[in-house]
Amino acid sequence: AQTVTQSQPEMSVQEAETVTLSCTYDTSENNYYLFWYKQPPSRQMILVIRQEAYKQQNATENRFSVNFQKAAKSFSLKISDSQLGDTAMYFCAFMKTSWGNYGQNFVFGPGTRLSVLP
Amino acid sequence: DGGITQSPKYLFRKEGQNVTLSCEQNLNHDAMYWYRQDPGQGLRLIYYSQIVNDFQKGDIAEGYSVSREKKESFPLTVTSAQKNPTAFYLCASRQGRETHEQYFGPGTRLTVT
């Protein structure tokens, strides 16, 4: 079974600074996807970024980028130029690619609560 | 606008009563999911459905039931057998084989007293 670990329950960063959130996972699969989701105080889950395991290039979405280290099973999220609106819970998620059964393939980490300070 | 709706946002029930949480999507997604989120914790899978008239138990299905009679709808019933039903419930959907991310509804906060 896959597991996802986020070792930082809480973090804080000054506005305009850069912060990195850690995520490690355990799997024997070779083909999978990784995601970062954001849950602001409204509690709406929002997809931040995704990474296909077969791609060596790290995904980037505006101020958000990942450092994907497949051999180390590490998938960290870097937020540049932090903004007050980035304050949220951030969840790392793993999805096994299985064409036969794509129902129960998502595993979420416990989350990291990020506070952006003015 | 395409999306996932959950209603109501807040729900209050007395202990011993069954309650049904609504989840509707107009994204034409094949798969739908129900998660439970407790304070300070991640998401735990309750049930999921890949196609109409089919659904599977997740990690914490005891005390819950679902149906999938239409592609757009995946209601969750919290039964009186669920020992600790007060929680935040999130519904999600996923298109299927071409895309892999899940899209989430706004959630329903259920309080049972």
Side-chain angles (χ1 to χ4, degrees):
Chain A
Q2 285 69 230
T3 59
V4 177
T5 302
Q6 294 178 249
S7 60
Q8 306 148 315
E10 294 189 28
M11 296 188 71
S12 62
V13 62
Q14 291 293 136
E15 196 174 5
E17 297 292 310
T18 295
V19 64
T20 298
L21 280 58
S22 301
C23 172
T24 58
Y25 56 94
D26 185 24
T27 185
S28 58
E29 301 288 329
N30 191 48
N31 297 317
Y32 50 88
Y33 288 76
L34 295 161
F35 306 89
W36 278 99
Y37 281 88
K38 167 185 176 180
Q39 188 180 41
S42 68
R43 306 198 77 173
Q44 172 74 57
M45 292 281 284
I46 302 164
L47 177 67
V48 175
I49 200 165
R50 76 171 192 174
Q51 174 80 43
E52 293 89 339
Y54 63 85
K55 290 186 178 180
Q56 292 189 337
Q57 186 173 6
N58 289 325
T60 299
E61 287 287 342
N62 300 315
R63 297 183 295 107
F64 299 88
S65 61
V66 299
N67 183 5
F68 173 48
Q69 302 289 329
K70 190 172 184 179
K73 297 180 183 176
S74 171
F75 183 60
S76 61
L77 174 70
K78 185 172 82 171
I79 306 174
S80 304
D81 186 25
S82 297
Q83 301 176 359
L84 297 178
D86 295 334
T87 293
M89 281 287 286
Y90 286 83
F91 293 96
C92 179
F94 170 98
M95 196 209 79
K96 181 174 66 173
T97 305
S98 173
W99 299 123
N101 177 3
Y102 56 81
Q104 196 174 2
N105 294 340
F106 256 79
V107 179
F108 285 87
T112 295
R113 183 176 301 280
L114 177 67
S115 299
V116 180
L117 308 174
Chain B
D1 281 339
I4 303 174
T5 58
Q6 292 185 244
S7 60
K9 190 168 179 66
Y10 298 97
L11 194 53
F12 298 88
R13 279 295 183 270
K14 295 289 188 184
E15 193 174 327
Q17 293 179 336
N18 291 353
V19 59
T20 298
L21 280 60
S22 166
C23 177
E24 304 278 333
Q25 55 100 357
N26 60 5
L27 300 167
N28 199 33
H29 284 178
D30 295 316
M32 297 186 74
Y33 308 77
W34 273 106
Y35 292 94
R36 170 181 172 138
Q37 187 178 25
D38 292 287
Q41 296 189 29
L43 280 64
R44 293 186 290 170
L45 182 65
I46 304 172
Y47 268 98
Y48 66 96
S49 169
Q50 297 186 155
I51 56 173
V52 174
N53 293 323
D54 179 74
F55 48 83
Q56 304 295 329
K57 293 182 179 180
D59 300 320
I60 55 167
E62 185 175 350
Y64 299 97
S65 66
V66 294
S67 64
R68 187 87 186 275
E69 297 177 1
K70 299 186 299 181
K71 188 175 185 178
E72 305 79 26
S73 179
F74 190 42
L76 173 74
T77 296
V78 184
T79 75
S80 56
Q82 168 50 231
K83 296 192 185 328
N84 187 17
T86 295
F88 186 65
Y89 291 88
L90 282 161
C91 178
S93 71
R94 177 173 159 233
Q95 182 202 49
R97 301 187 178 194
E98 287 75 31
T99 65
H100 302 282
E101 55 265 30
Q102 293 188 0
Y103 294 87
F104 286 83
T108 292
R109 171 67 182 175
L110 173 65
T111 302
V112 177
T113 57

